[in-house]
Amino acid sequence: DGWRRRWYIIIFEAETRAGRRFDEILLLAIVASVAVVMLDSLPSVHDRAGALFTVLEWLFTLLFTAEYAMRILVVRKPLRYVLSFYGVIDFV
């Protein structure tokens, strides 16, 4: 369980340097994802950069899917996490 323990600490424990960095990167990705969706909703911006925004939206989707999968992989009781409040919020 060496890699699982290490990743559990990074993902779920914000008191560590790696945990804080993980949270910062995740928050930055969330803000960037929302910004891309907002900008893409503007017709004039969409006309110029719609294809780029589509690629970025897919990349964010893949990133968030990988992050959710890692959370499930590192917990001891995956189903319990998935059905928990935070598990549902992460899924949504």
Side-chain angles (χ1 to χ4, degrees):
D1 286 284
W3 71 270
R4 282 190 175 155
R5 178 77 178 134
R6 178 165 159 50
W7 277 99
Y8 180 89
I9 292 169
I10 291 170
I11 293 171
F12 287 102
E13 296 183 14
E15 297 82 28
T16 65
R17 184 175 183 198
R20 280 190 304 276
R21 179 73 56 183
F22 179 83
D23 287 347
E24 290 167 356
I25 291 168
L26 186 59
L27 284 172
L28 182 64
I30 291 167
V31 170
S33 174
V34 171
V36 165
V37 170
M38 290 174 61
L39 288 170
D40 194 33
S41 71
L42 302 171
S44 61
V45 178
H46 175 79
D47 291 343
R48 289 193 311 261
L52 172 64
F53 289 150
T54 299
V55 169
L56 289 173
E57 288 171 16
W58 275 106
L59 289 174
F60 285 123
T61 299
L62 291 172
L63 173 71
F64 295 138
T65 301
E67 182 255 343
Y68 185 70
M70 280 300 290
R71 287 181 184 271
I72 293 169
L73 283 172
V74 301
V75 295
R76 289 181 193 238
K77 297 182 180 181
L79 186 59
R80 185 174 176 190
Y81 172 75
V82 169
L83 298 176
S84 72
F85 174 78
Y86 290 110
V88 171
I89 294 298
D90 285 342
F91 181 76
V92 172

